[in-house]
Amino acid sequence: MIGELINVGTEILIGDIVNTNAQYISKELSNIGFSIYYHTTVGDNPNRLKETLENSINRSDVVILTGGLGPTQDDLTKEILAEILGVELVLDQEIYDEITERIYKSGYSQVTQNNYKQAYIPKGASPIPNSNGTAPGILAEMDNKSIILLPGPPREMIPMFEQKVLPYLMKKTDTKFYSNYYKITSIGESAVEDRLLDLIDKQKNPTIATYAKPGEVLIRVTANGESREEVESLLQNYDVVIKERFGQNIYAFEDLSLQEAVGKSLVEKNVTISIAESCTAGQIASRLSEFPGISQSLHSGIVCYSNEAKVRFVGVQQKTLDEYGAVSEEVAREMLQGLYEKNKTDIVVATTGIAGPGGGSEDKPVGTVYIGILYKGQYTVTRHQFRGDRKRIQLWASNEALNKIRKAIV
Amino acid sequence: MIGELINVGTEILIGDIVNTNAQYISKELSNIGFSIYYHTTVGDNPNRLKETLENSINRSDVVILTGGLGPTQDDLTKEILAEILGVELVLDQEIYDEITERIYKSGYSQVTQNNYKQAYIPKGASPIPNSNGTAPGILAEMDNKSIILLPGPPREMIPMFEQKVLPYLMKKTDTKFYSNYYKITSIGESAVEDRLLDLIDKQKNPTIATYAKPGEVLIRVTANGESREEVESLLQNYDVVIKERFGQNIYAFEDLSLQEAVGKSLVEKNVTISIAESCTAGQIASRLSEFPGISQSLHSGIVCYSNEAKVRFVGVQQKTLDEYGAVSEEVAREMLQGLYEKNKTDIVVATTGIAGPGGGSEDKPVGTVYIGILYKGQYTVTRHQFRGDRKRIQLWASNEALNKIRKAIV
């Protein structure tokens, strides 16, 4: 089934508003198996709107329009549709009564002629009631195709879409769709794609899509079939493969941020934590603190950016700094020890590294980061080499540290 | 001048991302007097893309495309353009060298053949350098029309648009356009708009546009005229009004993040700082640390999330916590004192508050935050009431603290 969208509105064309309707409707249509080939935004201009709509009806099974249904002279989506259908606009008594009632209820003493413009619909089409505004939607069929007109404001459009349009469209397909989600960290989007290339290349059912946010990748696997069982067995095959390929880099099976997943885990398992951050400078603590209720787990963080702070607040020895440098395994280890001695939290985490752009050397180039974790008496310090600019190095270092916390307490 | 946009990307068609590029470019084009009649979104499908592009070139003077310039086989915007122009793709040596350099700099030891796909451009077209990614943009002219190809990711597209495309398009009109920028903090976008409503309502020349990022608003005032002098006098009138209305909330006259502005100021003025963060949990330190070279100013940060940490690391007295509670002016003041005694930095900053959703009371509802600053022997603690969810409260509190630092050292 091929669908497409037309968004009518000069306010979109001049950049006054973002076209969130296009995203909402597209996502909903994709979820029930429609292919969307085009979005078009066009202004309230009769010729351009008519040409666009005719073109869309020609090439798609379902055309959904938003906007241009209001009471003013500018609003002419409905008039254009009637022209294309070759019918006239007729008064819908039910809509007429609803508009009257709604307007008197809002405290106006008079209904203007303009308002009644909204009670006219193309002959043969059905109105879609609007419980949040006066402009009804319209559903018309022509040559086995469906044309659906909805108002522009999302708070009117979305409930109408959910309550009337979606059930109507779902009846047009018998297929059932389900998805699995995998949230990945410590691997970039293109590397994630590389590992899935064989599956993406041959994809048909299930389909695989990846979505990247800074430092996180979401994999969505969607399958379809005639029954839930059939779909689930298709998903199951891929589930095995994806878990095998990404292992510990999968930190959630829903669209959760890494800090939410780790924060939730710390709180649920009642694990206390303190953190000594040099190159990440408070980012790990601050990301964890996004999770509500984290105060029962997050004891403290030390942003020991200067050497003085490393000595004063986390008990690193000046001698160790002099001998090995601030960015070293030895310093990371003393940060863990020192903070543990002070706080006795279940977990202690430490980072020290070179975020750049300056400060790198041959031995320890920009992007060198030591990440230490102390859990149940076990010290582990690993050396990493992150790539990219300062912001990216800090982000990847804090991601890696968060994922180490997660793996430790699993 | 008639312009139109084509956004190429399946991720937009299936509703995975909102098409913010369309809004951004439309706003910019409208500001310099272009009329935009259409936005079209189309997927990476050669036939549909070609038909769409041909159609657009026919009916508009300038066609701007975003997306489909990446290194994979799916990306074919450039290939389609070459087909329409009737030319071949040729290797651009400068772009080739830039890609090689960028990739080696990021620490990869090998450049794949795919990456070099991006160094090919349609013969006769000009590349637009991309300083935030490997895909260059392309500017082609044909029959007095301009076709401009830009990458999809906004962080690559926007700087290219500002630096190259906008100046190019502005030359197509005889009118001169200049803009002033004002970066505002501690006021939300709709409140900023409210304060400008009279100017926005009657706007013609200059025009005013606002752009919001979390916690920051950019005001751009653009005027046009026949000479630089004429334009500058128009801008000057508005400059007076805007400075009067926003005063100390203006933290920069260019599009700088608040942390960059403050970090830069600290480093330039050689001011040292240490920070005690309770409710902001390291966010202030971590945001400051985005600025390269901050290590000479940022001494340390203490994320004293627990009361124990407040006592241990910043010298708050248990008695004060018991008597006034952790979220109080008294505790904020002791955080300042304690940290100053330890570190003797030029500035000390402290935050303590209730980020929610739990923990509020009638006296101190969720969103209550005390922010303290100690500079040149002067203690100032102010109480704030922020609105919104946990994340927003933390963000606004760290913004307010950053702005206080800025104002102190101006």
Side-chain angles (χ1 to χ4, degrees):
Chain A
M1 215 42 93
I2 295 169
E4 77 173 89
L5 310 189
I6 301 173
N7 303 103
V8 185
T10 307
E11 68 281 14
I12 304 174
L13 289 179
I14 61 174
D16 270 344
I17 59 168
V18 185
N19 189 354
T20 55
N21 284 347
Q23 185 198 25
Y24 171 80
I25 297 173
S26 300
K27 203 170 205 166
E28 296 292 321
L29 290 183
S30 298
N31 275 338
I32 57 166
F34 276 74
S35 301
I36 320 289
Y37 289 163
Y38 301 94
H39 295 169
T40 310
T41 303
V42 62
D44 303 290
N45 169 287
N47 295 332
R48 290 194 286 272
L49 179 52
K50 189 174 176 193
E51 201 189 310
T52 302
L53 181 53
E54 280 174 336
N55 202 6
S56 298
I57 295 174
N58 265 332
R59 63 192 180 189
S60 296
D61 302 310
V62 172
V63 182
I64 300 183
L65 294 94
T66 64
L69 294 182
T72 74
Q73 295 307 319
D74 274 356
D75 296 300
L76 33 80
T77 310
K78 210 161 53 179
E79 288 71 9
I80 299 291
L81 174 63
E83 226 179 289
I84 292 176
L85 295 171
V87 299
E88 15 156 45
L89 290 168
V90 292
L91 184 82
D92 184 289
Q93 191 60 44
E94 219 169 295
I95 301 279
Y96 183 97
D97 295 343
E98 269 173 33
I99 291 175
T100 312
E101 199 193 326
R102 169 174 289 272
I103 287 178
Y104 284 120
K105 259 196 188 161
S106 324
Y108 292 91
S109 57
Q110 223 187 334
V111 187
T112 67
Q113 213 42 48
N114 267 352
N115 286 118
Y116 287 126
K117 175 171 178 294
Q118 300 180 308
Y120 284 83
I121 66 169
K123 199 172 176 178
S126 328
I128 305 171
N130 178 351
S131 44
N132 299 295
T134 50
I138 286 161
L139 169 61
E141 292 180 335
M142 175 175 138
D143 306 336
N144 234 344
K145 305 201 167 193
S146 305
I147 304 123
I148 298 166
L149 276 53
L150 296 169
R155 59 179 288 276
E156 300 179 27
M157 185 279 287
I158 292 174
M160 294 164 77
F161 189 89
E162 276 174 5
Q163 286 152 29
K164 294 288 168 190
V165 181
L166 205 53
Y168 167 82
L169 295 176
M170 279 164 92
K171 269 192 233 140
K172 291 190 156 262
T173 108
D174 282 334
T175 318
K176 304 210 179 307
F177 287 83
Y178 298 98
S179 300
N180 273 350
Y181 297 87
Y182 305 86
K183 206 69 197 272
I184 310 285
T185 186
S186 301
I187 312 182
E189 191 187 20
S190 59
V192 168
E193 273 187 2
D194 277 352
R195 287 199 205 173
L196 294 171
L197 218 54
D198 55 326
L199 303 181
I200 291 174
D201 274 352
K202 67 168 193 207
Q203 73 177 308
K204 212 156 180 176
N205 185 23
T207 56
I208 300 192
T210 60
Y211 308 93
K213 286 183 203 162
E216 303 171 359
V217 182
L218 173 70
I219 302 173
R220 187 183 66 188
V221 182
T222 303
N224 67 74
E226 280 173 25
S227 69
R228 176 146 203 155
E229 293 67 40
E230 185 194 337
V231 178
E232 279 182 351
S233 108
L234 286 166
L235 289 175
Q236 181 55 31
N237 297 338
Y238 272 53
D239 188 66
V240 175
V241 177
I242 289 178
K243 283 179 178 157
E244 194 188 285
R245 293 191 189 173
F246 294 98
Q248 289 269 41
N249 294 111
I250 303 173
Y251 68 83
F253 296 97
E254 57 186 313
D255 191 7
L256 217 59
S257 72
L258 180 58
Q259 56 266 36
E260 278 177 290
V262 178
K264 201 174 157 190
S265 197
L266 285 168
V267 170
E268 277 173 8
K269 293 182 201 301
N270 214 2
V271 173
T272 58
I273 184 167
S274 50
I275 310 164
E277 306 188 52
S278 182
C279 63
T280 51
Q283 191 175 117
I284 301 169
S286 129
R287 288 176 66 183
L288 278 179
S289 82
E290 284 177 23
F291 186 74
I294 194 72
S295 57
Q296 71 172 77
S297 285
L298 180 57
H299 178 283
S300 57
I302 306 294
V303 182
C304 39
Y305 216 65
S306 61
N307 281 350
E308 199 178 279
K310 288 186 184 70
V311 173
R312 181 169 305 146
F313 294 108
V314 289
V316 172
Q317 295 185 46
Q318 187 60 48
K319 204 178 116 236
T320 316
L321 287 165
D322 294 340
E323 198 165 330
Y324 300 98
V327 178
S328 62
E329 191 179 329
E330 290 74 11
V331 166
R333 179 175 279 265
E334 289 193 4
M335 288 165 80
L336 294 176
Q337 274 168 345
L339 205 56
Y340 180 73
E341 274 160 32
K342 283 181 201 270
N343 295 337
K344 299 277 191 298
T345 50
D346 300 326
I347 289 199
V348 182
V349 178
T351 63
T352 180
I354 303 152
S361 68
E362 206 169 310
D363 262 16
K364 292 172 186 170
V366 167
T368 304
V369 179
Y370 289 90
I371 300 177
I373 185 162
L374 170 56
Y375 181 57
K376 295 195 173 165
Q378 287 279 34
Y379 288 81
T380 326
V381 178
T382 45
R383 177 179 168 149
H384 302 264
Q385 185 62 51
F386 299 113
R387 297 195 189 98
D389 64 9
R390 185 173 175 82
K391 220 168 155 174
R392 192 173 185 276
I393 290 169
Q394 292 179 321
L395 177 71
W396 279 67
S398 74
N399 270 358
E400 189 65 41
L402 287 168
N403 203 30
K404 272 188 200 302
I405 300 167
R406 188 189 65 81
K407 288 190 277 186
I409 62 175
V410 151
Chain B
M1 218 35 96
I2 295 170
E4 77 173 270
L5 310 189
I6 302 175
N7 303 102
V8 185
T10 307
E11 68 281 13
I12 304 174
L13 289 178
I14 61 176
D16 272 336
I17 59 169
V18 184
N19 189 354
T20 55
N21 285 347
Q23 185 199 23
Y24 171 81
I25 296 173
S26 300
K27 202 171 201 169
E28 296 292 323
L29 291 181
S30 299
N31 274 339
I32 57 166
F34 276 72
S35 300
I36 320 289
Y37 288 163
Y38 299 95
H39 296 170
T40 310
T41 303
V42 62
D44 303 290
N45 169 288
N47 296 331
R48 290 194 285 272
L49 180 51
K50 189 175 175 191
E51 202 189 311
T52 302
L53 181 53
E54 280 174 337
N55 202 5
S56 298
I57 295 174
N58 264 332
R59 64 192 179 190
S60 296
D61 302 310
V62 171
V63 182
I64 299 182
L65 294 93
T66 64
L69 294 183
T72 73
Q73 295 306 320
D74 274 358
D75 296 301
L76 33 79
T77 310
K78 211 161 52 178
E79 287 72 10
I80 299 291
L81 173 62
E83 226 180 290
I84 291 176
L85 295 172
V87 299
E88 15 157 42
L89 291 168
V90 291
L91 184 81
D92 184 290
Q93 191 61 41
E94 217 168 297
I95 302 281
Y96 183 94
D97 295 342
E98 270 172 33
I99 291 174
T100 311
E101 198 193 327
R102 169 173 288 272
I103 287 178
Y104 284 119
K105 257 199 190 154
S106 320
Y108 290 91
S109 58
Q110 223 187 335
V111 186
T112 67
Q113 213 41 49
N114 266 354
N115 286 115
Y116 287 127
K117 175 171 179 291
Q118 298 179 310
Y120 285 83
I121 66 167
K123 201 172 175 177
S126 327
I128 305 171
N130 179 350
S131 44
N132 298 294
T134 50
I138 286 161
L139 169 61
E141 292 180 336
M142 174 176 138
D143 307 337
N144 235 342
K145 305 201 167 194
S146 305
I147 303 124
I148 297 165
L149 275 54
L150 296 169
R155 61 179 285 276
E156 300 178 26
M157 185 279 287
I158 292 175
M160 292 163 77
F161 191 89
E162 275 175 5
Q163 287 152 28
K164 295 287 168 189
V165 180
L166 204 55
Y168 167 82
L169 295 175
M170 281 162 89
K171 268 193 234 138
K172 292 193 150 264
T173 91
D174 281 336
T175 320
K176 304 213 176 307
F177 289 84
Y178 296 98
S179 300
N180 274 348
Y181 296 87
Y182 305 85
K183 207 66 198 274
I184 311 283
T185 186
S186 302
I187 312 181
E189 191 186 20
S190 61
V192 169
E193 274 187 1
D194 276 353
R195 287 200 205 171
L196 295 171
L197 218 56
D198 54 326
L199 303 181
I200 291 174
D201 273 354
K202 67 168 190 206
Q203 74 175 305
K204 213 155 179 181
N205 185 21
T207 56
I208 299 191
T210 60
Y211 306 88
K213 285 184 204 161
E216 302 170 1
V217 182
L218 172 71
I219 302 174
R220 189 184 62 192
V221 182
T222 303
N224 66 73
E226 280 172 27
S227 69
R228 178 147 202 154
E229 294 66 41
E230 185 193 338
V231 179
E232 278 181 353
S233 106
L234 287 165
L235 289 176
Q236 181 52 33
N237 297 337
Y238 273 52
D239 188 65
V240 175
V241 177
I242 289 177
K243 282 179 179 158
E244 193 188 283
R245 293 191 190 173
F246 294 98
Q248 289 269 41
N249 294 110
I250 303 173
Y251 69 83
F253 296 97
E254 57 184 315
D255 191 6
L256 217 59
S257 73
L258 181 57
Q259 56 265 38
E260 279 177 288
V262 178
K264 202 174 156 189
S265 196
L266 286 168
V267 170
E268 277 173 6
K269 294 183 201 298
N270 213 2
V271 173
T272 58
I273 184 167
S274 51
I275 309 164
E277 305 187 53
S278 182
C279 62
T280 52
Q283 191 175 118
I284 301 169
S286 129
R287 287 176 66 183
L288 279 180
S289 81
E290 284 177 23
F291 186 73
I294 194 71
S295 56
Q296 71 173 78
S297 284
L298 180 57
H299 177 283
S300 57
I302 306 293
V303 182
C304 40
Y305 217 66
S306 62
N307 281 351
E308 200 180 278
K310 289 185 183 71
V311 173
R312 179 169 307 147
F313 294 108
V314 290
V316 172
Q317 295 186 45
Q318 187 59 50
K319 205 178 115 234
T320 316
L321 287 165
D322 294 341
E323 199 164 330
Y324 299 99
V327 178
S328 63
E329 190 180 330
E330 290 74 10
V331 166
R333 179 174 279 266
E334 289 193 4
M335 287 165 80
L336 294 177
Q337 275 168 344
L339 206 55
Y340 179 73
E341 274 159 33
K342 282 180 201 271
N343 294 338
K344 300 277 190 297
T345 50
D346 300 326
I347 289 200
V348 182
V349 177
T351 62
T352 180
I354 304 152
S361 67
E362 204 170 309
D363 263 16
K364 292 172 187 169
V366 168
T368 303
V369 179
Y370 290 89
I371 301 177
I373 184 162
L374 170 57
Y375 181 57
K376 295 194 172 163
Q378 286 279 35
Y379 288 81
T380 327
V381 177
T382 44
R383 178 179 166 148
H384 302 264
Q385 185 62 49
F386 300 112
R387 295 196 194 97
D389 63 10
R390 184 172 175 82
K391 220 169 154 173
R392 191 173 185 277
I393 290 168
Q394 291 178 322
L395 177 71
W396 279 68
S398 73
N399 270 357
E400 189 65 42
L402 287 168
N403 203 31
K404 272 189 203 300
I405 300 167
R406 188 189 66 81
K407 288 190 275 185
I409 62 175
V410 150

